Amino acid sequence: MKKKYLSIMAITIAFILSGCFFAQDDKSPEQNEPDNQVSVEPKEAEDPEEKPEKSEEDPIEEIDLSIQPNELGEIMILMYHGIGEEEMDWQRTPDNFRKDLQYMYDNKYQMISLNDYAKGEIKTKAGYTPIILTFDDGRQNNFNYIEKDGDVVIDSDCAVGILEEFKNKYPDFDVTASFFLNTNPFGQSEYTEQKLKWLVDNGYDVGNHTYSHLEMETLDSEEDIQAEIGSVNNIIKSYLPDYAVETLALPHGSNPKDAYAGSVMEGEYEGSKYKTIAILDVGWRPAYSPFDTLTDFTSLYRVTASEINVDNCGMYDYFKSYENGNRERFISDGNPDVVTIPKRHEEYLNMEMVGEKTVNIYEEN
Ligand SMILES: [Zn+2]
């Protein structure tokens, strides 16, 4: 008996050392032999007062596996530019943008912020897929003020106006977006401060799209890169002193030379420091889950939010692939502190991103 107990201890320790302790299935054959069960479960099993964890709700038991949660499925980071009267390569009409949002809502997508994605904080409700909206270039038609009956109001056909329309219509859509800005955010310089403050106060984010919109690979010094990024950070900071700009969209999707990659992540310009947690490329496919070892937060894929000239890599091509089951989308388990994945994806789980969260691995039927 004693010998068997020791061998089970050794197996248990081996499991812990090999990182398998989060696999909740007690399927090792040793533990299924009736003779062993006495020694596997020592005294505390008989003392109910000594088991505070068991009396609390078990977060894993609360998870509904019938919705097939898959927190290693893909998440789309949509890349929009303008919203305007004519449908073009880098512009969506107001009605097409409304169509996109309606499709997302009707097909169980729920918006999250890029910043939350980069931190692995997914608060999406059970059975839903997170989706991230980004707008590059800080165009006036992203956030436009107009005069109406003597008042200054948000243009109902600009991006923010349409997003607010959906926020009011569907509070559970969790409407948010990130706007990537250059030197003159949203035109109308008389309203810059008002717009930036309004965005942050209303649950939106702003990110960096650099000072000159140059291709990063053409820059040949750390100083140049720090000036391109730091100057825009300082402009935003001058209006939003308490807001941390943590995200960057690379102009033209151009990456810096390897030697200067560090300056994109961290740097200083005119006495102000910046730190980047997520860098966005331009195309052409959905991003991986933040918990996926394949995710590179310094080079995140985006999907072009358009239906023209997208080479079968536009947003609706991927939406259709998910509908047909040709690709796997992230399906939330509903608990931000638990990461639930099908066993077949186990090898891709990035435990560093999981951190303190509970891992829940299950076998599909
Ligand atoms: Zn741009």
Side-chain angles (χ1 to χ4, degrees):
M1 201 64 161
K2 197 176 177 189
K3 200 175 152 204
K4 271 183 185 166
Y5 178 73
L6 284 173
S7 74
I8 286 157
M9 283 295 287
I11 289 164
T12 310
I13 288 164
F15 263 91
I16 288 168
L17 291 176
S18 70
C20 294
F21 57 94
F22 48 76
Q24 299 283 320
D25 51 337
D26 293 323
K27 287 197 187 93
S28 61
E30 291 83 357
Q31 291 186 8
N32 290 336
E33 286 173 28
D35 198 20
N36 286 338
Q37 278 173 0
V38 183
S39 34
V40 168
E41 292 185 12
K43 295 159 209 149
E44 71 251 45
E46 288 149 288
D47 189 352
E49 285 182 17
E50 294 271 306
K51 309 182 296 175
E53 282 113 296
K54 289 237 167 154
S55 60
E56 285 168 20
E57 286 168 353
D58 180 353
I60 288 181
E61 257 167 45
E62 307 264 292
I63 286 162
D64 177 5
L65 293 180
S66 74
I67 60 169
Q68 295 181 288
N70 179 6
E71 302 200 318
L72 281 179
E74 294 174 338
I75 294 177
M76 282 209 264
I77 305 174
L78 297 176
M79 180 180 67
Y80 285 95
H81 283 77
I83 302 294
E85 278 317 302
E86 198 185 333
E87 183 75 18
M88 297 188 285
D89 272 356
W90 305 109
Q91 178 163 292
R92 204 93 174 109
T93 65
D95 281 348
N96 280 337
F97 184 41
R98 287 188 181 91
K99 179 186 89 167
D100 300 343
L101 295 174
Q102 192 65 51
Y103 177 91
M104 292 176 219
Y105 186 77
D106 292 344
N107 288 276
K108 298 179 95 170
Y109 291 88
Q110 195 178 21
M111 293 187 213
I112 64 166
S113 80
L114 179 63
N115 301 55
D116 283 349
Y117 168 87
K119 292 167 187 166
E121 289 167 10
I122 311 281
K123 297 160 198 141
T124 306
K125 64 183 167 183
Y128 282 66
T129 300
I131 196 159
I132 298 164
L133 272 64
T134 66
F135 291 82
D136 283 12
D137 300 345
R139 299 182 186 184
Q140 187 172 336
N141 60 27
N142 286 177
F143 193 171
N144 187 35
Y145 277 129
I146 53 170
E147 275 198 34
K148 201 174 172 186
D149 307 326
D151 289 326
V152 174
V153 297
I154 297 172
D155 178 353
S156 61
D157 274 343
C158 74
V160 170
I162 296 167
L163 287 164
E164 285 296 296
E165 174 189 324
F166 276 76
K167 187 195 276 180
N168 292 328
K169 204 157 136 193
Y170 305 122
D172 62 338
F173 201 2
D174 283 3
V175 168
T176 183
S178 289
F179 295 90
F180 288 89
L181 308 174
N182 306 104
T183 51
N184 179 21
F186 311 118
Q188 297 182 304
S189 54
E190 67 275 32
Y191 296 126
T192 305
E193 179 167 9
Q194 195 179 330
K195 287 181 182 180
L196 291 177
K197 285 191 166 146
W198 186 95
L199 284 174
V200 170
D201 287 345
N202 286 277
Y204 296 90
D205 281 294
V206 291
N208 198 317
H209 201 38
T210 76
Y211 188 83
S212 319
H213 205 269
L214 289 169
E215 296 189 7
M216 280 278 171
E217 63 183 347
T218 64
L219 300 177
D220 278 314
S221 76
E222 287 185 1
E223 289 71 33
D224 285 353
I225 289 181
Q226 296 194 30
E228 280 294 326
I229 297 171
S231 54
V232 171
N233 263 36
N234 293 353
I235 290 169
I236 297 172
K237 234 180 178 45
S238 71
Y239 297 112
L240 303 171
D242 300 324
Y243 182 83
V245 180
E246 299 177 300
T247 58
L248 170 77
L250 295 167
H252 315 284
S254 160
N255 281 282
K257 294 190 171 85
D258 283 350
Y260 310 126
S263 300
V264 179
M265 296 307 289
E266 228 171 310
E268 189 173 341
Y269 182 71
E270 293 184 343
S272 248
K273 292 186 174 155
Y274 62 83
K275 204 169 170 146
T276 311
I277 61 168
I279 300 177
L280 300 178
D281 282 341
V282 161
W284 285 94
R285 52 152 293 158
Y288 298 105
S289 157
F291 307 115
D292 197 315
T293 51
L294 296 174
T295 292
D296 177 359
F297 290 100
T298 72
S299 180
L300 293 166
Y301 299 113
R302 283 192 287 178
V303 171
T304 305
S306 177
E307 291 173 279
I308 52 170
N309 298 328
V310 289
D311 286 335
N312 301 318
C313 296
M315 61 192 306
Y316 285 92
D317 296 301
Y318 290 110
F319 283 145
K320 289 273 141 47
S321 296
Y322 295 128
E323 279 181 32
N324 301 336
N326 295 334
R327 301 182 79 95
E328 291 184 31
R329 58 195 251 193
F330 187 111
I331 306 282
S332 178
D333 64 15
N335 186 337
D337 298 322
V338 178
V339 180
T340 300
I341 61 165
K343 182 139 181 73
R344 64 195 157 85
H345 290 324
E346 189 178 355
E347 61 179 306
Y348 292 101
L349 192 61
N350 179 352
M351 288 307 289
E352 219 174 287
M353 274 307 285
V354 169
E356 303 285 293
K357 297 177 178 64
T358 305
V359 173
N360 179 25
I361 299 175
Y362 70 101
E363 293 270 11
E364 290 153 303
N365 296 322

